[in-house]
Structures are given as C-alpha cells and as structure tokens.
C-alpha cells in the first residue's frame, strides 16, 4: 500500500467521523424522539384494542344474527333443489325452489334455431334473478335460500314460495301466470320489521342473462338485440347494440327493463318503478359462443319492511309482436302506460308514423286474409306504388318536358360557355324554363318520394316476427338471409355466404340507376352533362356498397327492395313509352305563347337566380369602374 492510498483512506475516515459527529442528535432531539416513540406505541395499542373490539362486535353481531335472521333462515340455507312448472297454451315456466325464481322459459309454437317445435328463451345456465334485502347486520339474498312450496295450483296457475317460519317471520314469493305471456310476482317480508333499519325503504335486484342466439343470421340478429328500458315519464331508450357498456347509469326513474333479442324479450316491470340508482350492462358476445349479449341490470325498487305492502312485479316472457305487446298493457294491473310495443322498433318519428299508422294496418289486414307473407310484401309494394304514382307521374312529366326542351336550351345558352358566364347561363336556362312553365327540380321528386317509404320498410321488415320461419318461393325463412353459397369461413365485408335476394336487389338497383341516369342525361345542358359523368360512377358504385351492407340482412327486406325497384323501373319504362315527345313539345310551345300574352312575374328559383345575376352584374360594373379609375391615375 503506497503513501497516496494511506492518505486517501485517512481522509475518508476523517470525513465520515466528522459527518457522524456533526449530525448526532442533541439532548432535546433525543427526548423528542422518545416522546414520539411513546405516542406511536400508544397509538398501536389503541389500534390493536380497536381491532379486538371490532372482532368482539362482529362476534356479538353474529351471535345476534344467529338468534334472529340467521336462525330464521338456517334451515333454508341448505336443501335440495326442486322444479315446479306453471304453463298455459303459450308458455311453460319452470321455477327452482332455490331462489324461488324462474329458471327456464319455453315459448310454445315458435321453432328454435335447431328446428324444435318450441323455443327455449333461457334456462338455469344463462339466466339468474336475485332479490337482496339489507338488514341491520347482513344481507338476505333470495338466490341463496331454499324455499318451500306453500301453495301450488296448476289449474289456477298460482305458485307460492316461503322461506323462514311459516307461522311468524318469513319471506313469501307469490307467482300468478296469466292466460298468455304475463307473469305476476309479489315479494313480502312478514314479521321481520325488527331486522331492518328504520330508514330501509328499498330492495336491491340483480338480474343477469346471456342472451341466446335464436336465428340463423348471428350478425343480423345481434344488431337488433339490445337492453331496453322505459322511462316513467314516457319514452324508451337502450344501450348501444355494438359496443360494450358496463354499469351504465340512468338519470331518470324507469318502469321496466327488457333483455331483448330480435324477436323475443324477457321484461321485468316494477309497480313502484326503479329509482334513479340503476346500473345496466350490455356486452356483445362472440359468434362462436352461441350467445348474442351478456345483460345485467342492478336495480332498486320500493320495499316495505313492515310486511303491509308487497313489492310487486310483472314479467313478460314472449315474442316481440306489436299488437300482442299493446294488449299486455291492457292486461297489466299496474295501470301504467308501459309502451311495451316500443320493443318493436319502427324507426325515427317520421318513419315510425308511416309504419305505425299505415304499414301495420295494411299488414294486419292482409294477414287476416291468410295471404302468404311473400305475397303480402308484394301487395304492400303495389299499394305504395299506387299511392305515390300521381306524384311520380307528375315528376316524370316534368323531366320529360326538360328533355324535349334540351335542344332549345342548348341554343339559348351556347354563347355562355365560358366559366365566368356560368351565372348568366343559369339565368338564361331559368328564364326559358319559366317561359315554358317547367320546374327543373321536379325530376328529383321520385327519389324523395320513395326514400321515406324505403327507410320505413327498412325498420319494419326486420322487426316483423310474422316473417319468422315463413317460406316463399326459394326462400326458407323471410326473416333471415337466403344463402345460395355458404363456405363456413368469415370473409371481411362479405361474411360466410352469398344471399340470393341481396344479389337480385343489387342487380335491380344497378339497372334502375342506369335508367335514371339516362333520363337525367337527356335533360342536362352543357357543363351539367359533363358533371353528370362524374355522378354516374357514384351511382353505379352504390349497388356494390349495398351488397356489402345487405348480404347479412333478412331476405324479406331484400325481396321487398327488389320488388320495389322492379315496379319503379316498370313504371318509368311505361311512362317513357307512352309519352309522345312531339305532342309534349307542341303543348309547351302553346303554353309559352300563352305566357307571352299573359306574362307572369318570375318566382322561385328563377327569381333568386335573377336577383343573384343582377347583383353579380352590379358588382362587375363597380369593379370595371374602379379598374378604369386606377388606370387613369397611373397614366397621370
């Protein structure tokens, strides 16, 4: 070890010794630390004593519960599950004594996905219902209790479950099945008021279900499966069908919650409604699982711990049939405007009006005549075409007038071919149209007339349960797609099949678009005709886009669109063949001469264009005047 190393170690030792001596605590610091340690020890002792006291309190509470509610339901915490069934001609409901709730629903005379005669809406493996009562010391969960059957009347469709002391303290759950799909339920706590806090006024409900796939088209059915709820003040809402929603709160009180798939629903209605503390969950499932959604509803409703007033519910387990759901409200004893028929979605307000006050009545009338569903769709199409024909004909004739006037328009506007003359050219055209009494906007009316009807039917057909399992021509089921080829592997944008009605609809749409473009091209002038070439590609691409959209849709909807387009094309072709262009031009010339004798003030679009042209001319004059002044100043 050399001299430098020894000196280095010595310096390090000196620094450490000096740092230690400099930082040693004073007598006051030592005393303060001692006091602090004593306080910490005392606090730790108090904490340990508090923990011991809490353990003793819990033990005492457990002992107290052993003497009241636990002792009361001790015999109901174990047992053997038993099944009891209430049924009528429409539905069979299987109850489990464990939990005293419906564990299986079979809807009769509706074929299931595998072809069985009756459809199972849910069973024990994919649905649960739990009523939770919060006592002073613990929660009573009906799902954990084995109930006894106090009364069972198969003929009267009444079932009474009881847990606890039949002669004194107990929970009684009573069910009564109506003649169709409505099940009444009441929950009553007898002689148990001492177990609850004085401010207890509600009970908790936890309702869960994995919604089963019931139809062939998973993607299409999943699009119409939603957790839906009804506001006490009126109107319904639902959780988004395509995205995951967990514990979504509802700000307003609601009357009912529905676990809905495309054609069937399970609905729980509370007589006293559900408070604002509502949490709803909807989680889309994968196709391979055989389930559409996972639903959960965490709810609170009124509860009387004194046992004077029961908590009452009504359950609807059945099809989403508009008229049937209307009748349920009349059958309900709650006296509320339930609006259950809104489970059948008929579209936004305008389209709902069309479906509610026209399509439904026509549909019901034709059904009463026992006409096959495919023919009903054709007849509805014909009726709608007949109603709209006068407007369509008037619109077509307006387009025909513009077509026969095209040579005159070309002649009147040929001097305005420069881009800066576009406004003058438009004004000249409007002037000529005004002289002949022609409206250039009327040609757009056929599409505007048909669009609301198309959208209304877009909402009506997929929700019409009457089309379910109905065959027509080559179609086995009008409520789902009709594949001509299936390959079992999902292909992006196409899926795993080709639907024949979708192909027919897209081909018909392509032909109709081509006919429409030809008609519009015949009436275009100058730059309008050039711009129309760009529009043609867009109109021809639309049928291709529709194919990707509608390949999964119901064959009934695609068939309706195909028939509608076919008749639209037939009407357009007939009008074209029956229109004499020479006579029409002569009529327009005579009308022009009459207008010259009795000139009318320009109005509408022509008047607005004329005003814009005048403003443009005045602006141009000001610009030219300013340019001349600037030029004169520069010359000086």
């Amino acid at each position: 070890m050399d001299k430098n190393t020894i000196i280095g170690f010595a310096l390090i030792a000196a620094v450490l010794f000096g740092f230690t001596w400099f930082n040693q605590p004073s007598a006051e610091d030592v005393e303060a630390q001692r006091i602090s340690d004593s306080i910490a020890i005392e606090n730790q002792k108090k904490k340990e004593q508090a923990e011991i006291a809490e353990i003793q309190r819990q033990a005492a509470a457990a002992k107290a519960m052993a003497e009241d509610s636990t002792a009361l339901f001790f015999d109901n915490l174990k047992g053997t599950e038993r099944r009891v069934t209430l049924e009528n001609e429409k539905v069979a409901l299987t109850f489990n004594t464990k939990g005293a709730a419906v564990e299986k629903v079979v809807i009769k005379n509706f074929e299931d996905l595998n072809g069985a005669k009756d459809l199972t809406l849910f069973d024990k493996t994919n649905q649960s219902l739990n009523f939770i009562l919060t006592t002073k010391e613990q929660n009573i969960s009906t799902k954990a209790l084995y109930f006894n059957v106090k009364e069972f009347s198969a003929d009267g469709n009444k079932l009474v479950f009881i847990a606890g002391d039949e002669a004194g303290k107990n929970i009684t759950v009573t069910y009564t099945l109506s003649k169709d799909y409505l099940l009444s339920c009441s929950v009553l706590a007898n002689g148990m008021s001492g177990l609850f806090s004085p401010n207890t006024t509600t009970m908790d409900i936890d309702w869960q279900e994995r919604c089963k796939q019931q139809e062939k088209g998973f993607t299409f059915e999943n699009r119409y499966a939603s957790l839906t709820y009804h506001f006490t003040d009126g109107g319904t809402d639902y959780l988004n069908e395509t995205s995951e929603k967990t514990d979504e709160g509802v700000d307003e009180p609601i009357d009912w919650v529905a676990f809905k798939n495309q054609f069937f629903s399970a609905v729980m209605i509370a007589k006293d409604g559900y408070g604002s503390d509502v949490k709803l969950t909807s989680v889309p499932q994968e196709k391979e699982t055989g389930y559409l959604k996972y639903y959960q509803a965490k709810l609170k409703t009124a509860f009387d711990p004194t046992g004077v007033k029961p908590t009452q519910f009504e359950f609807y387990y059945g099809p989403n049939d508009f008229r049937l759901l209307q009748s349920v409200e009349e059958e309900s004893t709650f006296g509320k405007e339930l609006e259950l028929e809104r489970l059948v979605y008929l579209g936004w307000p305008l389209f709902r009006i069309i479906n509610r006050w026209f399509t439904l009545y026509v549909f019901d009338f034709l059904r009463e005549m026992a006409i096959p569903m495919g023919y009903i769709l054709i007849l509805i199409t014909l009726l709608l075409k007949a109603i709209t024909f006068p407007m369509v004909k008037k619109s077509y004739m307006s387009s025909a007038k513009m077509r026969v006037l095209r040579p005159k328009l070309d002649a009147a506007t040929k001097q305005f071919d420069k881009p800066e003359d576009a406004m003058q050219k438009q004004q000249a055209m409007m002037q000529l149209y005004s002289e002949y009494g022609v409206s250039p906007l009327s040609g757009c009316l056929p599409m505007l007339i048909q669009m609301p009807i198309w959208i209304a039917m877009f909402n009506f057909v997929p929700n019409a349960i009457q089309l379910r399992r109905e065959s027509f021509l080559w179609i086995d089921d009008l409520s789902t797609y009709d594949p001509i080829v299936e390959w079992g592997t999902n292909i992006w944008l196409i899926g795993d099949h080709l639907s024949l009605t979708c192909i027919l609809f897209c081909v018909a749409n392509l032909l109709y678009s081509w006919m429409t473009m030809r008609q519009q091209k015949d009436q275009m002038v100058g730059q309008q005709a050039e711009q129309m070439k760009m529009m043609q590609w867009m109109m021809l691409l639309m049928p291709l886009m529709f194919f990707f959209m509608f390949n999964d849709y119901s064959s009934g909807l695609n068939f309706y669109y195909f028939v509608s387009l076919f008749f639209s094309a037939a009407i357009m072709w007939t009008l074209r063949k029956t229109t004499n262009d020479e006579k029409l031009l002569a009529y327009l010339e005579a009308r022009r001469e009459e207008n010259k004798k009795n000139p009318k003030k320009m109005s509408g679009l022509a008047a607005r264009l004329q005003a814009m042209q005048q403003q443009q001319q005045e602006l141009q004059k000001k610009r030219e005047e300013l340019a001349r002044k600037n030029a004169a100043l520069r010359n000086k």
Side-chain angles (χ1 to χ4, degrees):
M1 183 179 296
D2 59 13
K3 182 175 67 173
N4 292 334
T5 304
I6 294 172
I7 293 171
F9 278 120
L11 289 174
I12 292 171
V15 169
L16 290 174
F17 177 78
F19 180 80
T20 303
W21 178 83
F22 182 78
N23 286 285
Q24 67 179 346
S26 64
E28 293 81 2
D29 292 336
V30 172
E31 180 64 19
Q33 182 63 40
R34 186 187 66 77
I35 295 172
S36 177
D37 292 341
S38 299
I39 294 173
I41 293 170
E42 185 66 23
N43 289 338
Q44 181 63 28
K45 289 181 179 179
K46 290 181 179 179
K47 182 179 179 182
E48 291 175 355
Q49 290 174 355
E51 290 176 352
I52 293 172
E54 176 63 19
I55 293 172
Q56 292 174 344
R57 189 192 67 79
Q58 292 179 0
K63 183 179 179 181
M65 289 300 294
E67 296 174 353
D68 45 53
S69 62
T70 304
L72 176 62
F73 297 110
F74 181 78
D75 292 336
N76 299 106
L77 293 174
K78 56 184 179 179
T80 303
E81 296 182 17
R82 289 179 52 207
R83 272 78 181 177
V84 185
T85 301
L86 293 180
E87 65 180 308
N88 54 29
E89 295 180 354
K90 303 293 182 65
V91 66
L93 308 178
T94 301
F95 298 81
N96 194 331
T97 55
K98 185 180 181 182
V102 178
E103 76 167 19
K104 182 179 181 181
V105 171
V106 176
I107 302 176
K108 299 181 180 181
N109 303 316
F110 283 94
E111 185 179 302
D112 73 358
L113 183 60
N114 299 316
K117 179 183 176 182
D118 300 326
L119 179 144
T120 300
L121 185 62
F122 61 76
D123 56 30
K124 182 181 179 180
T125 62
N126 45 55
Q127 198 268 0
S128 68
L129 174 63
N130 188 23
F131 299 120
I132 304 166
L133 305 176
T134 304
T135 67
K136 296 176 182 177
E137 302 295 341
Q138 67 177 24
N139 293 339
I140 300 174
S141 173
T142 59
K143 186 178 179 180
L145 299 179
Y146 290 83
F147 285 74
N148 298 315
V149 178
K150 182 179 180 181
E151 180 182 349
F152 174 49
S153 174
D155 295 337
N157 282 331
K158 184 176 181 181
L159 178 60
V160 181
F161 292 102
I162 190 168
D165 181 7
E166 294 191 18
K169 301 176 181 180
N170 59 65
I171 297 175
T172 303
V173 184
T174 303
Y175 293 99
T176 305
L177 180 62
S178 70
K179 60 183 179 180
D180 44 39
Y181 302 99
L182 195 65
L183 175 71
S184 299
C185 170
S186 70
V187 180
L188 186 65
N190 297 300
M192 297 171 54
S193 57
L195 302 181
F196 299 96
S197 299
N199 57 354
T200 298
T201 58
T202 61
M203 70 185 304
D204 293 293
I205 304 163
D206 185 5
W207 189 28
Q208 303 178 44
E209 180 183 336
R210 291 184 74 196
C211 183
K212 294 176 63 177
Q213 179 184 351
Q214 304 287 0
E215 313 303 325
K216 181 171 64 176
F218 173 86
T219 304
F220 186 65
E221 184 183 7
N222 207 8
R223 189 178 292 117
Y224 290 90
S226 62
L227 192 157
T228 307
Y229 49 94
H230 179 264
F231 296 108
T232 302
D233 293 335
T236 59
D237 203 351
Y238 57 91
L239 299 188
N240 188 284
E241 307 96 328
T242 58
S243 61
E244 179 177 331
K245 300 292 183 180
T246 303
D247 285 342
E248 285 286 307
V250 180
D251 296 331
E252 303 176 38
I254 60 177
D255 283 326
W256 53 257
V257 174
F259 293 166
K260 173 183 177 293
N261 62 16
Q262 185 178 3
F263 292 125
F264 302 93
S265 291
V267 187
M268 183 165 64
I269 310 161
K271 182 175 183 179
D272 296 308
Y274 305 109
S276 57
D277 188 13
V278 173
K279 301 294 182 183
L280 304 176
T281 295
S282 175
V283 181
Q285 305 294 288
E286 296 297 328
K287 182 177 182 179
E288 296 75 18
T289 64
Y291 293 95
L292 304 172
K293 301 281 195 324
Y294 165 73
Y295 295 135
Q296 183 179 27
K298 298 176 183 177
L299 311 164
K300 288 182 181 292
T301 191
F303 170 69
D304 181 8
T306 66
V308 175
K309 179 184 176 182
T311 301
Q312 294 182 275
F313 303 93
E314 287 178 338
F315 294 88
Y316 175 83
Y317 303 114
N320 299 330
D321 184 310
F322 190 91
R323 300 301 185 195
L324 174 62
L325 290 167
Q326 281 185 315
S327 68
V328 170
E329 184 167 319
E330 299 175 1
E331 187 180 347
S332 171
T333 60
F334 292 169
K336 294 185 174 185
E337 294 184 9
L338 298 174
E339 297 183 298
L340 282 173
E341 67 273 10
R342 286 184 173 266
L343 288 171
V344 182
Y345 183 68
L346 297 180
W348 292 351
L350 172 61
F351 314 122
R352 179 178 177 81
I353 290 171
I354 295 172
N355 286 325
R356 175 69 179 83
W357 301 107
F358 173 78
T359 311
L360 271 170
Y361 282 99
V362 174
F363 193 75
D364 292 342
F365 173 75
L366 295 174
R367 280 184 60 214
E368 290 176 358
M369 299 173 66
I371 299 174
M373 288 298 166
Y375 290 114
I376 287 178
L377 292 176
I378 295 174
L379 291 173
I380 289 177
T381 306
L382 287 173
L383 180 59
L384 291 171
K385 295 299 178 186
I387 292 173
T388 58
F389 178 75
M391 293 178 285
V392 171
K393 182 178 180 181
K394 183 177 180 180
S395 175
Y396 173 81
M397 293 308 297
S398 178
S399 299
K401 292 173 184 178
M402 294 174 66
R403 183 182 68 246
V404 299
L405 287 175
R406 180 178 175 180
K408 296 183 179 295
L409 288 169
D410 288 335
T413 60
K414 63 181 180 180
Q415 69 270 30
F416 303 120
D417 284 338
K418 296 180 181 179
E420 59 269 21
D421 297 333
M423 186 66 70
Q424 292 176 310
K425 182 175 183 178
Q426 196 71 21
Q427 186 183 17
M429 291 172 60
M430 291 297 103
Q431 179 63 37
L432 197 62
Y433 285 145
S434 180
E435 291 175 3
Y436 284 98
V438 176
S439 173
L441 299 179
S442 299
C444 302
L445 282 178
M447 185 57 67
L448 295 177
I449 292 168
Q450 293 182 77
M451 191 57 67
I453 297 172
W454 272 48
I455 298 176
M457 294 301 290
F458 176 84
N459 290 296
F460 177 80
V461 174
N463 290 292
I465 192 173
Q466 293 80 5
L467 297 177
R468 186 177 186 271
R469 302 296 190 268
E470 289 292 325
S471 61
F472 182 70
L473 300 177
W474 70 88
I475 305 170
D476 294 329
D477 186 350
L478 285 167
S479 69
T480 188
Y481 59 83
D482 57 321
I484 53 171
V485 179
E486 292 183 278
W487 48 81
T489 302
N490 187 66
I491 298 177
W492 184 63
L493 290 179
I494 297 177
D496 57 4
H497 66 275
L498 291 177
S499 175
L500 179 55
T501 51
C502 179
I503 295 173
L504 291 174
F505 159 49
C506 293
V507 171
N509 195 6
L510 182 66
L511 294 174
Y512 182 72
S513 298
W514 178 74
M515 292 180 65
T516 303
M517 286 188 296
R518 285 193 58 186
Q519 177 179 319
Q520 292 176 346
K521 186 178 179 181
D522 290 342
Q523 64 194 43
M524 295 296 177
V525 179
Q527 292 182 355
Q528 290 180 335
E530 294 298 322
Q531 294 171 355
M532 186 61 192
K533 292 180 181 179
M534 299 178 62
M535 292 293 296
Q536 287 176 354
W537 288 105
M538 295 180 61
M539 296 180 70
L540 291 175
L541 285 174
M542 283 300 293
L544 180 62
M545 294 175 60
F546 281 140
F547 170 76
F548 295 124
M549 291 173 58
F550 285 84
N551 191 44
D552 270 327
Y553 271 65
S554 71
S555 55
L557 182 63
N558 282 319
F559 180 72
Y560 165 78
Y561 283 157
F562 165 70
V563 173
S564 179
L565 285 168
F566 173 82
F567 284 121
S568 295
I571 290 170
M572 185 181 295
W573 182 84
T574 302
L575 290 172
R576 181 70 180 89
K577 290 297 182 181
T578 56
T579 301
N580 188 313
D581 288 357
E582 294 180 359
K583 289 183 178 180
L584 181 59
L585 181 58
Y587 165 77
L588 291 174
E589 291 291 355
R591 188 173 181 178
R592 185 186 188 191
E593 292 299 323
E594 183 180 347
N595 289 338
K596 285 182 179 179
K597 296 177 183 178
N598 301 293
K600 297 180 180 179
K601 185 178 180 180
M602 192 177 296
S603 61
L605 179 61
R608 289 193 292 272
L609 286 172
Q610 185 181 40
M612 290 173 63
Q613 176 65 20
Q614 290 174 352
Q615 292 176 2
Q616 187 182 39
Q617 289 174 351
E618 291 174 1
L619 182 61
Q620 185 64 27
K621 288 179 180 179
K622 290 180 180 179
R623 288 175 178 172
E624 292 175 355
E625 181 65 25
L626 182 61
R628 284 195 296 269
K629 289 181 179 180
N630 290 335
L633 290 173
R634 284 196 299 270
N635 292 332
K636 290 181 179 180

